[in-house]
Amino acid sequence: MLDDASGPSCSAGLTTTQACGTPQLQEPDGPPSAMPAAVDIPHVERLLGLAADIADTPIAAISLVGGHQWMKGCSSLCNIPGFARAQDGCLRGLELDGAVIVHDTLADPTRSTHPLVSGEPSLRFFVGIPLIGQKGDVLGWLSVADRMARSAFPSRARARLKRIARIVVEILEDESRGAVYDQAHGFLSSTQSPLLISDGVGTITFANPACERMLGYQPGGMLGLNVRVIVPTRFHGPHTAGMAAMVAGGTPRLAGKTVEVTAVKRDGVEIPVELSLSSWRSSAGIAIGATIRDISERRSRDARLLRLAHQDPRSGLPNRNRVIEELTAIQASQGEATVLVLGVEGLRGANDNLGHAIGDALLEALCVRLTARLDPGALLARLHSDELAVVLRGLADPLAAQACAQSLVLAFAEPIQVGDHPLHVGVAIGAALAPSHGSDAEEVLASADLALDRARRDGGRCFRLFEPAMRSAEAARRNLLDRVRVAIERQELELHYQPQIDLETGRICGSEALIRWRDPERGLVMPGEFLAAIESSVLALSIGWWTIEEACRQTAAWREAGLPPMPVAVNLFAAQLRAGTLEEVVKEALERHGLEPKDLEIEVTETIALRPDDHMLRPLRNLNESGVGIAFDDFGTGFASLSMLKSFPLTKLKIDRSFVRDILTAPFDAAIVKGLLDIGRGLGLQVIAEGIETAEQEAALLAMGCRLVQGFRYGKGMEPAEFATRLAADHAGSASKRRLRRAS
Ligand code: C2E
Ligand code: CA
Ligand code: CA
């Protein structure tokens, strides 16, 4: 009777403890894998009571290797597994079935000194039945013990104890399975990873809340459905075949892999998902589990990155990569294409000066115009900030390219109104044909770029088709630029001065500074031979600033030498206006050399004057207001409209040489000259005619009321010393004339 247990260390009730191992009684390494972390044995008290009854002992205990013990009749019976094994060295008391029976502990030298024997509760008789799990591992011990030694232990009692031990094992293993199942189920249901399990025919046997939420189902709404409901109809064929193969014993094609597929939500919307499949054989047959991850966000991010790689971020237009890709594909398939590269003048200026919002809107409006003029199959792309490209697929015909280019040029004819800004944008177009103008996409595009350079240098607003000679011309241009660079270092550039005459007085009233290159090998090189190459290079700026400085220095030097004050006109490069520092540079140069604003005139051509926005003209306007002269060079030869004279800060119009040349023979030219003179007068501007070579031309101009002239008739551009002599003579001549007039 367990209840009858007596003695100071025995208690009447059930106690549960953790094993308190002693140094000589080593604990096993840890609980067997199947052992649940928190063990509970239902009806353990009754089981222990039963064991004590069967063995007729006051003490009964169940101890698990994890440390848990339930005891009946004794509170200090510790570490029964340790006690049971104390004899391991000599196998005393060990029965064949693994039970340990010790009839008298004092007669057993391996146990007589054991603390449970020598001390409380002074065990004399001990039976330990191992609790052996399904896998053969010892889960613990069922033991009975007495303070009295026994001579025998009936085999029936032993068999019954073993039955109780089996019940305990079953309970333990059920508990363990149940606990694992509980934990797994809790985890599967609460995890945020969508999970789905189906049987071999595809019936959904489990779907966790995350999965139901992701796919738009009510809680429990997926149970019993066929997994096909989440497979797009177009994939039902392969899906059904895959399931059938698997049921027939094959492993699922996707098992163990992570794949990106499309899933259908309850509302029919398809989403990209990442699917990891696993399969196992359960008691009910084959089961398939899937973790499913919605990757819509990642996909759209990937798509965005992909788009960015092929798209200009500001305009959303396809970018250079896309053009290359397109051309490569066309060439790979032996196809043909035309590439037009559009150099847009004024786009960068609008961005820089009016801000990106205006610049972007301008580009957008421009693209709408261009698209309207393109076939639907054409690709419009943005190569750089101010370069667009058009790829015409399946077309490599020079005439068709030209027709398209001409149509595109027309898109730039009218200013584009963006908010309050009427923005003028110009364009030059270069074109190349694939495959004839390049062996690969890059080369075709480079050819179109070369053609664009040519179109730009030819004044813009025009179209040039690539010619192989452009490559050698480009090489020559680079070579020339290198030489000019050296010329600048060696100070081989100089300014010559061409007189400007006031016909009414017959005297020099000013001069135009004209650049020359004194090449040690070639002699004096005229600007026509090297300026075109420079205009589109960075050298334009350094040369441009130098001309202002040098003209001011020379003018001041002449004045210093006692010559009469004479304004000097300096030609401007477009880059100088773009640089944004023109006003400061001019003012500083004037100040440095003690000149007044009226001593300098800036000559601008319409490539400079036709800036798309007001902002670019501000430096000229400020200089004009301060008294610096602004002359419109070559007026009437280009696209400058009369209306722009209204807003352009000007003091002078220069009638181009081409009108003067045939003034006597071409009534049309004569009419233009007359008209320009009238306009100038009407606007209160000075008007000077260029290129007068003969007395007849002079007379015709005079008759039209033209007072200011410049031309070979009065002198070519001359070296400073020569010009000074001329100026001195002019001065002396007029002085003697004045003296004569006074004398008469
Ligand atoms: P431009 O500004 O129209 O300069 C006038 C050009 O016409 C000069 O040629 C001049 O020598 C030439 N010319 C003047 N009178 C006559 C004439 O009666 N008959 C003929 N046939 N020609 C005449 P140049 O010096 O060769 O300059 C050519 C162009 O080079 C200039 O045209 C100007 O656009 C540019 N240029 C010259 N010097 C400079 C400079 O310092 N800076 C800049 N940016 N451009 C310059
Ligand atoms: Ca000029
Ligand atoms: Ca001119």
Side-chain angles (χ1 to χ4, degrees), residues 676-697:
L676 291 176
L677 282 164
D678 285 345
I679 289 166
R681 260 197 298 271
L683 295 175
L685 301 174
Q686 294 181 309
V687 183
I688 184 167
E690 290 189 276
I692 292 95
E693 296 184 357
T694 67
E696 289 77 14
Q697 287 168 337

Side-chain angles (χ1 to χ4, degrees), residues 64 105 149 154 173 175 194 325 346 374 450-451 500 519 568 578 580 596 617 631 646 682:
L64 303 183
T105 52
E173 292 197 326
E175 273 286 299
E325 194 180 76
L374 291 170
L450 279 178
Q500 299 176 331
D519 186 342
V568 64
R578 279 202 298 270
E596 291 182 38
L617 298 181
K646 257 195 322 195

Side-chain angles (χ1 to χ4, degrees), residues 492-499 508 511-518 523-526 550 553-554 558 563 715-728:
E492 290 169 6
L493 297 182
E494 42 188 71
L495 287 181
H496 286 193
Y497 298 86
Q498 183 176 33
I508 298 173
S511 73
E512 179 178 359
L514 296 165
I515 198 163
R516 305 286 182 262
W517 171 12
R518 197 169 291 280
L524 203 61
V525 183
M526 300 304 273
E550 174 58 14
R553 187 202 63 75
Q554 185 61 74
W558 283 326
L563 291 167
K716 295 189 174 181
M718 43 192 104
E719 283 182 44
E722 189 186 348
F723 186 79
T725 310
R726 175 75 187 274
L727 202 54

Side-chain angles (χ1 to χ4, degrees), residues 422-441:
L423 302 176
H424 296 263
V425 267
V427 70
I429 302 182
L433 311 177
S436 48
H437 291 159
S439 54
D440 61 19

Side-chain angles (χ1 to χ4, degrees), residues 22-300:
T22 53
Q24 72 271 36
L25 297 172
Q26 290 293 308
E27 276 288 291
D29 286 344
S33 53
M35 193 67 66
V39 204
D40 184 25
I41 304 180
H43 315 298
V44 68
E45 192 172 351
R46 283 169 60 196
L47 288 169
L48 289 176
L50 202 56
D53 278 356
I54 289 167
D56 193 20
T57 54
I59 299 168
I62 294 172
S63 6
L64 303 183
V65 290
H68 274 84
Q69 297 195 116
W70 294 263
M71 271 167 280
K72 190 84 181 164
C74 179
S75 60
S76 60
L77 183 61
C78 293
N79 210 345
I80 287 169
F83 185 79
R85 267 191 220 149
Q87 91 304 0
D88 277 355
C90 61
L91 298 179
R92 273 182 178 242
L94 182 67
E95 302 288 320
L96 282 177
D97 58 4
V100 174
I101 300 179
V102 183
H103 294 100
D104 185 353
T105 52
L106 292 181
D108 177 346
T110 62
R111 289 193 171 87
S112 57
T113 55
H114 194 282
L116 295 178
V117 177
S118 56
E120 282 301 323
S122 310
L123 290 185
R124 292 290 299 277
F125 171 71
F126 176 83
V127 177
I129 308 287
L131 301 171
I132 299 174
Q134 257 183 4
K135 293 181 195 157
D137 49 342
V138 176
L139 306 179
W141 295 84
L142 168 67
S143 35
V144 289
D146 201 347
R147 298 158 193 266
M148 312 284 287
R150 298 215 185 160
S151 56
F153 186 64
S155 57
R156 260 183 72 191
R158 197 169 87 186
R160 286 178 179 174
L161 282 185
K162 281 179 74 179
R163 280 215 293 279
I164 293 176
R166 269 202 300 280
I167 291 171
V168 172
V169 167
E170 271 172 31
I171 290 173
L172 281 175
E173 292 197 326
D174 270 4
E175 273 286 299
S176 153
R177 264 196 297 277
V180 169
Y181 176 80
D182 272 358
Q183 285 178 14
H185 192 270
F187 171 69
L188 298 181
S189 301
S190 62
T191 178
Q192 292 306 307
S193 300
L195 302 167
L196 189 78
I197 300 174
S198 84
D199 62 16
V201 291
T203 305
I204 296 171
T205 54
F206 175 82
N208 71 354
C211 180
E212 292 165 340
R213 263 198 312 277
M214 181 183 75
L215 295 170
Y217 286 85
Q218 295 294 328
M222 297 187 80
L223 277 182
L225 298 178
N226 192 291
V227 75
R228 243 198 336 256
V229 293
I230 69 164
V231 180
T233 320
R234 61 185 180 284
F235 298 128
H236 278 185
H239 168 78
T240 310
M243 292 292 282
M246 199 181 54
V247 172
T251 40
R253 200 166 44 88
L254 298 179
K257 294 183 189 154
T258 299
V259 287
E260 290 186 13
V261 295
T262 304
V264 185
K265 301 211 302 188
R266 185 156 192 268
D267 56 10
V269 172
E270 294 190 355
I271 52 167
V273 294
E274 193 181 78
L275 193 71
S276 301
L277 280 185
S278 52
S279 69
W280 64 94
R281 197 158 284 281
S282 75
S283 52
I286 200 148
I288 302 151
T291 62
I292 310 170
R293 198 149 71 92
D294 181 350
I295 55 168
S296 312
E297 219 170 82
R298 193 181 80 199
R299 274 279 175 85
S300 65

Side-chain angles (χ1 to χ4, degrees), residues 605 632-638 653-662 669 672-673 676 687-692 701:
T605 54
F632 200 136
D633 204 358
D634 305 341
F635 189 74
T637 54
L653 282 185
K654 293 191 83 170
I655 299 177
D656 190 63
R657 192 166 84 229
S658 58
F659 300 119
V660 173
R661 191 180 56 222
D662 300 326
D669 287 352
I672 288 177
V673 172
L676 291 176
V687 183
I688 184 167
E690 290 189 276
I692 292 95
L701 284 164

